[in-house]
Amino acid sequence: MTTLGILGAGRVGTSVARAALKAGYTVNIAASGAAEDIALLTEVMTPGATAMTAADAVASADLVVVAVPLHKYRSVDPNLLSGKVVIDAMNYWAPIDGTQDDFEATDLTSSETIADHLAGARLVKSLNHIGYHELEEHGRPSGDPNRRALAVASDDDDAAALVMELIDRLGYDAVMAGPLVAGAAFQPGTNIFGGELTAPELLDELARHRERHLANAEFQRTA
Amino acid sequence: MELGVYSFGDTQRNPDGSLRSTAEAIRNLFDGIVRADEVGLDYFGVGEHHTFEMPASSPGSLIAAAAAATTQITLGSSVSVLSTDDPVRVFQQFSTADAISGGRVEITAGRGSSTESFPLFGYELANYDQLYEEKLDLLLNINANERVTWSGAVRPALHDMAVVPRPASGSLPIWVGTGGSAPSSVRAGRLGMPVVYGIIGGVPAQFAPLAELYRRTAAQAGHSGPSIKVGVAALGMIAPTKEEAKDRWYPGWRRTFESLGAVRGWRAPTRTQFDALSEAPGAYYVGGPDDIAERIAELHDHLGHSRHFLQMDLGGLPQEHFLESITLLGTEVKPRVERLLAKK
Ligand SMILES: NC(=O)c1ccc[n+]([C@@H]2O[C@H](COP(=O)([O-])OP(=O)(O)OC[C@H]3O[C@@H](n4cnc5c(N)ncnc54)[C@H](OP(=O)(O)O)[C@@H]3O)[C@@H](O)[C@H]2O)c1
């Protein structure tokens, strides 16, 4: 049995919690404050999960999900997450959440900026391109031809493998996109972010994204 | 169960698809409010919005005008984007309209559905949480006290200042408007404020745990009584038959979600999605009177809500269809909902 620690008890955190509980995980959930502050929330919204402080939720977890509002990412303590396998489910989505200098004034993907902050964590970008209300509805058994696929990007293959197992148990085909930087292919504004794709479709989109990227790089080199 | 309508304003379209005037849209909205009052609806909400397609930028002014032209309907904002406004001014505008109406005015404070007001008034969207929290605190303070002493980071401090006029019944009902997250339900419950959920997709019945969380949090914090209640703001439209309703509503729906999708990076919406969302247990209350009445009563089994109101005018819905939908909601849906709920 694997224990999942979830930072964030909002829309995304609570639906990941419910989906993971259904898949047989032990789930610890935390918000920004004390465990009592979210005791009732946990009882009503994610029955079966245990409300904790962020430090406790992470300490006993094999796998951590960070689902806090992106602009609060600096409030997540990097020391807590050092050495942990951490899923970054956050998005930089300026039209909805506003522009933020940390993510605007850089060529890095949002998850690379998170990785810089959470130095020491084994960061995996995933769970970001499915709507929170979809996560509990779109899951299907393995082998179903219409099974939806979710992308995974990480510089750490073993960490990615753990996350791919989680995704499969939640009811989705996990597709490895490549190193963390490959997460650019499924950030807001991409076809993967805006769509509901099967594994072959997702692989197609990843290939198309790589081609465009190479063409761009070529253009910049020759121009 | 109170039934009603909300709108951001809906600018009409020319046959070639281009926009007609925003002034006409405001006048149409005003006419819609008057019609809602005439047909016995309980509530009309004007949602602050700042685009050419949806130009109801100033709910307070529109509600003041409507206050003078209506006799029984409750008028409110749905929502006021409090984060980018001055709570003192918001309160004064709504308490002025309240005086004209004889005590029929409310405020709903919320994030709103679009972000244009942030650059328009010079605020950073990234400061949203602090702006909202402090300004809501000030608004509640003003509502409770004739003379206000307050300090915070987002606005100059007030020391023993009079804020007038005072509402006809002492204070204005102030609701929290939210898209429905667990933490925001907890906050509304702790504050003991009524909450309205904006349900624009998914399955409305799935808001039941949020409503339960809200009520239990309020009880735990010692709040009870008539201000602990749940409203639902949803999308939909009524016509004599379900097929007519869907055919009338689809073009504007499609136009609206196409342009939203272009900004947010969603795929273009399809008729298949529309049809799915338009059937129980989907999110759209588009149909004939029997169908809509049954679905509202059914949702009541899950949420126990006391107010259900619909945004009907989207993407240039022809004004005559808007007015007919309002009329049917008042004359046909309302008595059916009352009958259905009385049986339970
Ligand atoms: N909307 C979607 O469908 C979707 C899908 C995938 C990903 N995302 C991304 O997921 C992220 C979260 O979005 P959301 O809608 O779930 O947010 P939300 O509903 O606003 O909830 C945020 C939660 O994070 C908590 N939090 C804040 N700082 C924290 C900290 N340092 N440690 C632990 N918890 C903390 C908050 O707790 P307090 O109440 O104590 O502050 C709250 O419980 C965003 O980056 C979003 O872009 C969204």
Side-chain angles (χ1 to χ4, degrees):
Chain A
M1 179 106 76
T2 316
T3 299
L4 201 61
I6 301 177
L7 301 187
R11 280 167 281 246
V12 176
T14 56
S15 41
V16 173
R18 281 188 298 267
L21 285 162
K22 230 168 97 186
Y25 284 84
T26 302
V27 175
N28 303 332
I29 190 161
S32 62
E36 304 90 85
D37 289 353
I38 56 164
L40 185 57
L41 186 160
T42 304
E43 183 194 327
V44 175
M45 301 302 296
T46 60
T50 311
M52 295 189 181
T53 60
D56 291 344
V58 167
S60 51
D62 305 299
L63 208 56
V64 176
V65 180
V66 179
V68 313
L70 184 69
H71 69 271
K72 294 193 175 154
Y73 79 96
R74 285 178 185 281
S75 70
V76 178
D77 179 359
N79 295 321
L80 288 183
L81 296 177
S82 187
K84 293 280 180 185
V85 177
V86 175
I87 302 177
D88 171 16
M90 299 178 290
N91 287 306
Y92 178 50
W93 203 2
I96 306 291
D97 305 320
T99 55
Q100 296 171 47
D101 289 346
D102 284 10
F103 300 92
E104 203 62 42
T106 170
D107 291 332
L108 297 180
T109 61
S110 69
S111 291
E112 291 172 289
T113 301
I114 298 301
D116 284 348
H117 171 64
L118 300 179
R122 303 168 65 192
L123 201 72
V124 182
K125 181 182 188 67
S126 196
L127 294 180
N128 69 304
H129 69 88
I130 180 165
Y132 65 94
H133 56 277
E134 294 170 353
L135 189 69
E136 293 168 84
E137 286 163 22
H138 289 185
R140 286 169 190 248
S142 162
D144 185 314
N146 294 320
R147 200 183 202 212
R148 189 169 169 181
L150 298 181
V152 170
S154 179
D155 298 336
D156 182 326
D157 286 342
D158 295 336
L162 258 180
V163 173
M164 290 171 83
E165 186 203 323
L166 167 76
I167 286 172
D168 181 54
R169 281 172 68 182
L170 295 181
Y172 300 87
D173 281 340
V175 171
M176 185 64 192
L180 204 53
V181 61
F186 53 97
Q187 296 199 119
T190 63
N191 290 339
I192 296 175
F193 187 83
E196 294 166 20
L197 308 179
T198 60
E201 291 167 342
L202 182 53
L203 282 163
D204 259 13
E205 283 295 343
L206 287 171
R208 226 167 293 157
H209 191 270
R210 263 193 304 275
E211 275 161 33
R212 261 200 308 274
H213 192 74
L214 288 176
N216 268 340
E218 181 69 11
F219 175 77
Q220 278 173 2
R221 209 156 44 79
T222 53
Chain B
M1 168 79 73
E2 296 180 340
L3 294 185
V5 186
Y6 77 104
S7 169
F8 298 129
D10 180 27
T11 307
Q12 300 284 290
R13 299 273 172 167
N14 293 309
D16 68 0
S18 60
L19 286 168
R20 295 221 304 249
S21 86
T22 44
E24 179 193 43
I26 296 302
R27 181 70 216 186
N28 283 348
L29 179 48
F30 176 83
D31 291 343
I33 302 174
V34 171
R35 174 67 64 90
D37 184 57
E38 286 165 0
V39 300
L41 285 173
D42 303 288
Y43 175 75
F44 204 111
V46 178
E48 179 179 339
H49 209 279
H50 300 266
T51 63
F52 285 102
E53 291 81 4
M54 299 179 173
S57 61
S58 184
S61 334
L62 194 48
I63 286 169
T70 53
T71 59
Q72 57 84 24
I73 195 167
T74 297
L75 302 166
S77 50
S78 254
V79 303
S80 294
V81 186
L82 195 60
S83 299
T84 58
D85 209 336
D86 179 4
V88 176
R89 222 41 183 142
V90 171
F91 182 86
Q92 291 171 334
Q93 285 163 354
F94 282 75
S95 64
T96 298
D98 184 66
I100 301 289
S101 75
R104 289 184 282 118
V105 168
E106 302 182 342
I107 297 173
T108 301
R111 171 162 190 159
S113 75
S114 69
T115 55
E116 283 82 8
S117 67
F118 283 80
L120 187 60
F121 297 113
Y123 291 95
E124 289 293 331
L125 198 47
N127 295 342
Y128 174 80
D129 290 333
Q130 188 191 21
L131 287 165
Y132 183 69
E133 215 156 292
E134 286 199 14
K135 289 189 174 188
L136 183 58
D137 178 59
L138 174 55
L139 184 68
L140 295 176
N141 187 326
I142 297 168
N143 200 34
N145 302 293
E146 290 185 2
R147 305 192 72 91
V148 179
T149 298
W150 181 89
S151 66
V154 301
R155 187 203 183 283
L158 296 168
H159 185 70
D160 196 30
M161 296 296 290
V163 180
V164 291
R166 301 308 301 174
S169 62
S171 61
L172 299 176
I174 300 180
W175 296 62
V176 171
T178 164
S181 74
S184 61
S185 301
V186 168
R187 260 169 235 134
R190 285 198 181 132
L191 290 167
M193 298 172 67
V195 70
V196 57
Y197 292 115
I199 305 182
I200 59 169
V203 174
Q206 286 178 353
F207 277 65
L210 290 169
E212 183 193 342
L213 177 61
Y214 159 73
R215 290 198 178 91
R216 288 180 60 184
T217 306
Q220 221 174 45
H223 300 295
S224 59
S227 68
I228 303 305
K229 57 187 169 185
V230 173
V232 168
L235 302 176
M237 199 200 79
I238 298 112
T241 66
K242 178 139 189 157
E243 279 323 299
E244 281 168 291
K246 283 168 65 176
D247 289 342
R248 287 177 184 184
W249 205 55
Y250 177 69
W253 173 85
R254 185 183 165 89
R255 185 178 271 140
T256 303
F257 280 83
E258 245 167 22
S259 50
L260 272 180
V263 175
R264 301 185 179 188
W266 299 327
R267 274 193 199 172
T270 64
R271 177 80 197 210
T272 316
Q273 284 171 326
F274 176 81
D275 287 337
L277 280 160
S278 301
E279 298 297 333
Y284 297 159
Y285 293 82
V286 52
D290 285 323
D291 173 37
I292 297 308
E294 275 160 29
R295 292 190 48 210
I296 291 173
E298 210 270 332
L299 186 65
H300 182 268
D301 291 344
H302 297 275
L303 300 190
H305 59 312
S306 58
R307 177 182 288 177
H308 193 114
F309 55 110
L310 299 177
Q311 184 183 10
M312 303 169 167
D313 52 345
L314 278 183
L317 179 74
Q319 176 72 359
E320 73 262 28
H321 292 162
F322 181 44
L323 293 177
E324 186 176 356
S325 174
I326 293 171
T327 304
L328 289 170
L329 186 64
T331 59
E332 301 295 327
V333 177
K334 191 171 154 65
R336 283 172 172 77
V337 170
E338 276 161 9
R339 275 200 299 277
L340 288 167
L341 292 181
K343 270 195 263 169
K344 294 194 168 170

